[in-house]
Amino acid sequence: MTDADQVRNSVVEEALGKLDLDTKTRLLAGQDMWSLPAVPEIGLKSLVMSDGPIGVRGVRWTADDPSIALPSPTALAAAWDPALARRAGRLLAQEARRKGVHVLLAPTVNLHRSPLGGRHFECYSEDPYLTGEVGAGYVNGVQDGGVGTTVKHFVGNDAETDRFTVDSVIAPRPLRELYLAPFEAIVANAHPWGIMTAYNQVNGTTMTEHRYLVNEVLRGEWGFDGCNVSDWMAARSTAGDIEGGMDVAMPGPQSVYGPALAEAVRAGEVPESAVDEAVRNVLRLAARVGILEGAPAAVTEAPAELDGQALARELAARGFVLVRNEAVSGRSAALPLDAATGTVALLGAAARDARVLGGGSATVFPERIVSPLDGLTAALPDGALTYHVGADPSEELVPAGKAFELRAVCRDASGAVIGEGSLPSGQVQWIGNDLPAGATYETMASIEVTGTFVPRESGEHAFGTRGLGAFTLAVGGRTLWEGVQEMGNEADPFEAFFGAPSERARLDLAEGEPVEVSLTFHVPDMTALPLKAIMFSLLHLGPRRDADELIAEAVAAARAADTAVVVVATTDRVESEGFDRKDLTLPGRQDDLVRAVAAANPNTVVVVNAGSPVELPWREEVAAVLLTWFPGQEGGAALADVLLGDAEPGGRLPTTWPARFADAPVTEVVPTDGRLEYREGLFIGYRAYERQGVRPGFPFGHGLGYTEWAYESLEVTATTARVRVTNTGTRPGREVVQVYLAPKADAFERPASWLAAFAGVEAGPGESVEAEIALPARAFEIWDEETGGWRRIGGSYEVRASHSHGDTRLTVTLDIS
């Protein structure tokens, strides 16, 4: 413990001693959606939290205060570089400080147990070691900047279906060796200031009340001394939560803590010592972030300022994974392209309207978004690029976006304007105090989403609504629909609140001719609601042209170009918080588009804009496949860098991509009678593929750069692997050296092999470099269910130095005791 730690602890104890019971319990409950109350009498300012795995939104759902949008966590993990994750974290701390945020509600370190997980874009990997390393880098970076983190969702929240109530049934070994392992590693290596407990149960106990996992494991065994905050609306039991080790119940103002907790103490149902311990944790967090008077902040001088746009661009390129790159037209490989000598046909709706981030609470609103069309237009010579839609992944109406300029205008019952603000899209999502200045739930009678739409295409445009309640829709000054949208059969509460997308009217509009649009929502009485919120959307869908005609146009353009670049994508109705996927197919006619284009032009490059695995049934028919995940606001610029060879695609797969959904070894995400049983035990991801003898589409750890690497030598001790590699290509590059362990004879049920460690190395053409890679002791251990502790397993291991899990380059036998 440092001197500063001792001072902080002394100030915390002194402050705690000055608080009465009511103040203490009030401090453990959100005062609103995003903050805890200030307590001026002890010099405590209000502690502010914000969503933000990929950016810091702040406390309002608005574009008026834009946020840097970094690539998705899967993209960050694909870089296999904890130091890069640390830089990303430092940038997010910089953003948090700018927005007055003290604690970032991130990172998400749940595992990719099944490829169907709807929120996997927000998680890192199927592998616990990789997840823990990248997560620790991220946490260290954020906290380098004096901003707290809440590592989430502790634990077993590995799917979205029935996430509020599901009981994740996990045996002790996989619970310890897989699902708890990233949390344990981050506590050990990054000392996070916060943890967020999940909605779900684990083995019959709700996580916010899980005394064993929170008090005994997290705090007792691992020594976590931070603040444990509930997921939003996860807290359900006053006594159960406080005795289960949950410090803060969010959000407020109505909560199971606050007055309810004070009453429970006075009734003898809860010991005040439990309240004191929770308050102590909150005050320690406040001290660390510098808002408790007299206590030195953990960081007194912020790191050097980072260029957000530049780092977002670098992160995107570093996370892009080139999974296929075949020889074409006399060239050794399809990529990189030569910008000076060829023409490019860019195809796909997602090339123009890129999906740069995933749906749900991770959403932020960047100041700008560079699409693939934007990036390649800027990078290629005039006349070298043509663009065609080819196929649109979405056949549903979506929130009004590009080509719309919108504002939200709040009015009272008399029609007077009481507040207004800009909207990043046609979606209104105001929760708690997240309202335009001047507006209140009590005084608002209506909210009008209004502005201008400039059609990008002539034809019949569809307009609609999403949300529950009464609406009036007008376009061009003419009312097209008035009515009420009722609740459907949505299972997830957030989905239910949003309602289903509904088409309301169609209208013929001309390209380039502005038209006024208006959607008025009539605000209901929300007096009785424990959490006040307004969620609705103005929806739009452009002219629906014949799909075969669109593909034919794309094929003609591809045939006339030297290279065809097809961008395919998922939508927010496929990958989002709140629901899991049903399959791994790309929506719409995108597969048909790729096949048709590839048949017309053998030099076809496919860019996959998806946050997690999708089926690529045409992968052997195209010259190159580049996975860009959700690449953040600078994704199009990074794509141009990589396609044209100004940057190397630096990524390796953080999760296995199945050749087809039927091959995926773990697919169950829907509970049976409220229970989701992790019957597969230790065997998820590459461990399961290897056990079942199934060859995936692309193996864990796979990724091609723009150079080649020869693995020269491997030397191993019980604690270190030394791997010498040589860049045998013509360009400088970066290789991720992956070390796997495979027991030669095993008396225990273990995977055939597993990732033990990794390191990135860089070298120029012809240069050699040696990676010295520490082998963690835990890599040789299992959780012994009989003794309830870790057990080292001696014997002979094959140590593999690999380019990927499916590409072992060197092996050495290691005997350990």
Side-chain angles (χ1 to χ4, degrees):
M1 182 179 291
T2 66
D3 291 343
D5 288 329
Q6 291 178 339
V7 173
R8 273 193 295 273
N9 287 344
S10 296
V11 173
V12 164
E13 292 303 320
E14 183 180 355
L16 177 61
K18 295 177 181 178
L19 299 177
D20 61 27
L21 176 62
D22 291 309
T23 305
K24 286 188 288 191
T25 58
R26 182 166 57 88
L27 187 54
L28 302 182
Q31 66 177 350
D32 53 29
M33 189 67 183
W34 301 113
S35 68
L36 298 181
V39 184
E41 55 266 35
I42 59 169
L44 176 66
K45 297 177 182 177
S46 175
L47 184 141
V48 179
M49 297 172 258
S50 172
D51 277 322
I54 57 100
V56 185
R57 190 171 62 247
V59 299
R60 293 182 57 216
W61 190 271
T62 176
D64 291 340
D65 183 14
S67 308
I68 293 289
L70 299 182
S72 63
T74 42
L76 189 61
W80 287 60
D81 189 344
L84 188 67
R86 190 165 193 160
R87 289 173 58 208
R90 286 185 172 183
L91 175 62
L92 294 177
Q94 177 179 303
E95 284 280 279
R97 293 193 306 272
R98 179 176 67 81
K99 289 180 176 246
V101 168
H102 306 115
V103 175
L104 198 56
L105 302 173
T108 305
V109 300
N110 302 108
L111 298 186
H112 296 178
R113 172 180 168 264
S114 162
L116 294 180
R119 203 175 180 180
H120 280 352
F121 62 85
E122 198 179 313
C123 311
Y124 291 128
S125 172
E126 69 189 26
D127 183 79
Y129 179 76
L130 177 60
T131 296
E133 290 292 293
V134 175
Y138 179 102
V139 168
N140 277 319
V142 174
Q143 294 182 175
D144 284 347
V147 175
T149 56
T150 56
V151 188
K152 65 185 188 183
H153 306 88
F154 188 75
V155 62
N157 180 192
D158 308 295
E160 291 294 281
T161 305
D162 296 346
R163 60 181 174 155
F164 287 84
T165 58
V166 63
D167 182 9
S168 299
V169 182
I170 315 172
R173 273 195 67 195
L175 181 60
R176 289 283 189 158
E177 294 180 27
L178 296 180
Y179 302 101
L180 286 172
F183 293 94
E184 182 182 11
I186 292 169
V187 169
N189 298 324
H191 194 59
W193 301 343
I195 292 281
M196 181 188 291
T197 43
Y199 293 118
N200 53 280
Q201 303 174 54
V202 169
N203 299 330
T205 302
T206 301
M207 276 309 306
T208 56
E209 305 172 38
H210 215 303
R211 299 188 199 185
Y212 171 67
L213 288 179
V214 173
N215 288 337
E216 296 184 34
V217 176
L218 174 64
R219 295 197 186 279
E221 291 180 27
W222 302 349
F224 172 70
D225 68 349
C227 181
N228 177 13
V229 60
S230 74
D231 203 341
W232 266 229
M233 296 176 287
R236 297 159 196 151
S237 166
T238 298
D241 287 337
I242 195 71
E243 292 179 358
M246 193 191 77
D247 299 321
V248 172
M250 291 296 293
Q254 295 190 31
S255 168
V256 298
Y257 284 177
L261 181 55
E263 183 180 338
V265 172
R266 292 188 175 108
E269 298 167 2
V270 170
E272 189 166 357
S273 60
V275 173
D276 288 345
E277 188 58 32
V279 173
R280 186 174 286 114
N281 294 330
V282 171
L283 293 176
R284 187 183 298 115
L285 173 59
R288 284 168 168 163
V289 301
I291 61 169
L292 180 61
E293 190 175 303
V299 174
T300 55
E301 186 174 341
E305 192 89 356
L306 292 166
D307 182 327
Q309 288 186 4
L311 183 55
R313 186 170 181 166
E314 179 188 351
L315 287 168
R318 288 286 306 277
F320 288 176
V321 183
L322 183 61
V323 293
R324 179 176 172 85
N325 194 19
E326 298 299 301
V328 290
S329 306
R331 298 168 56 200
S332 60
L335 295 178
L337 305 176
D338 186 344
T341 60
T343 56
V344 175
L346 180 63
L347 311 167
R352 181 182 65 185
D353 299 322
R355 189 172 183 204
V356 301
L357 46 80
S361 61
T363 301
V364 296
F365 306 110
E367 189 171 24
R368 72 173 201 165
I369 290 176
V370 183
S371 70
L373 179 56
D374 296 332
L376 286 170
T377 297
L380 291 170
D382 289 344
L385 181 70
T386 59
Y387 170 72
H388 293 273
V389 171
D392 195 323
S394 177
E395 298 175 355
E396 281 189 334
L397 284 82
V398 297
K402 285 195 174 182
F404 287 82
E405 286 192 12
L406 301 170
R407 294 187 67 76
V409 179
C410 305
R411 295 184 173 90
D412 64 18
S414 72
V417 174
I418 57 174
E420 60 182 306
S422 66
L423 287 176
S425 72
Q427 180 172 311
V428 172
Q429 182 169 310
W430 299 337
I431 306 175
N433 293 337
D434 183 10
L435 296 173
T440 68
Y441 292 102
E442 292 74 23
T443 56
M444 275 192 304
S446 69
I447 301 164
E448 182 186 15
V449 173
T450 181
T452 304
F453 170 50
V454 182
R456 296 186 294 188
E457 301 162 288
S458 295
E460 189 177 55
H461 290 254
F463 294 87
T465 63
R466 188 180 184 197
L468 305 179
F471 295 93
T472 302
L473 172 66
V475 179
R478 183 160 60 96
T479 297
L480 300 181
W481 179 77
E482 282 188 276
V484 177
Q485 184 161 335
E486 306 286 354
M487 183 173 289
N489 58 357
E490 298 83 7
D492 188 275
F494 286 104
E495 282 289 288
F497 202 7
F498 270 117
S502 298
E503 182 178 313
R504 302 304 186 186
R506 297 188 184 188
L507 196 65
D508 282 324
L509 300 173
E511 178 183 349
E513 293 188 10
V515 61
E516 297 302 308
V517 295
S518 169
L519 176 65
T520 300
F521 172 70
H522 304 283
V523 179
D525 180 3
M526 289 184 280
T527 306
L529 293 180
L531 177 65
K532 295 175 175 59
I534 293 175
M535 299 183 185
F536 70 93
S537 299
L538 168 64
L539 306 180
H540 170 258
L541 183 63
R544 296 174 227 194
R545 293 180 54 200
D546 180 77
D548 291 331
E549 182 181 313
L550 289 174
I551 291 174
E553 286 181 358
V555 167
R559 191 175 286 119
D562 295 302
T563 302
V565 176
V566 186
V567 182
V568 298
T570 58
T571 70
D572 61 5
R573 298 289 285 172
V574 174
E575 285 185 274
S576 177
E577 179 180 352
F579 55 87
D580 292 310
R581 293 194 277 175
K582 303 292 190 294
D583 55 44
L584 303 182
T585 58
L586 287 167
R589 294 282 301 278
Q590 294 182 101
D591 287 335
D592 294 339
L593 172 65
V594 173
R595 285 196 166 109
V597 169
N601 187 334
N603 194 16
T604 292
V605 176
V606 181
V607 175
V608 183
N609 180 195
S612 48
V614 291
E615 288 184 350
L616 309 176
W618 32 258
R619 64 190 181 282
E620 303 291 339
E621 302 168 33
V622 300
V625 179
L626 181 68
L627 312 181
T628 62
W629 315 103
F630 297 146
Q633 67 176 60
E634 304 298 316
L639 179 64
D641 292 341
V642 167
L643 291 182
L644 300 177
D646 295 326
E648 182 180 38
R652 304 293 185 265
L653 285 179
T655 200
T656 307
W657 277 51
R660 53 186 190 142
F661 174 57
D663 294 338
V666 181
T667 59
E668 186 180 25
V669 293
V670 177
T672 300
D673 297 327
R675 292 161 56 91
L676 183 60
E677 300 200 28
Y678 289 39
R679 295 185 182 90
E680 69 283 349
L682 299 169
F683 299 95
I684 65 171
Y686 65 87
R687 305 160 188 243
Y689 281 91
E690 188 170 26
R691 187 188 202 202
Q692 296 182 9
V694 174
R695 183 178 180 181
F698 301 110
F700 175 79
H702 174 62
L704 309 170
Y706 287 157
T707 190
E708 298 294 328
W709 296 89
Y711 280 57
E712 308 285 356
S713 64
L714 169 63
E715 299 176 3
V716 177
T717 70
T719 59
T720 307
R722 289 185 177 85
V723 185
R724 186 174 181 81
V725 295
T726 299
N727 181 344
T728 58
T730 59
R731 293 172 50 112
R734 180 177 186 271
E735 173 70 338
V736 178
V737 179
Q738 302 163 38
V739 178
Y740 296 87
L741 297 180
K744 290 203 160 187
D746 210 345
F748 303 89
E749 184 180 49
R750 286 192 287 179
S753 63
W754 56 88
L755 179 70
F758 63 89
V761 296
E762 297 181 359
E767 293 180 354
S768 298
V769 62
E770 185 174 88
E772 183 171 322
I773 308 171
L775 296 180
R778 181 60 55 80
F780 299 95
E781 296 175 343
I782 67 168
W783 181 256
D784 189 323
E785 296 184 359
E786 291 186 4
T787 64
W790 292 100
R791 177 178 177 184
R792 185 174 176 87
I793 306 301
S796 291
Y797 290 83
E798 182 178 81
V799 182
R800 301 171 179 172
S802 303
H803 176 72
S804 73
H805 185 256
D807 184 0
T808 297
R809 301 292 178 89
L810 297 171
T811 64
V812 166
T813 297
L814 173 67
D815 294 315
I816 67 165
S817 56

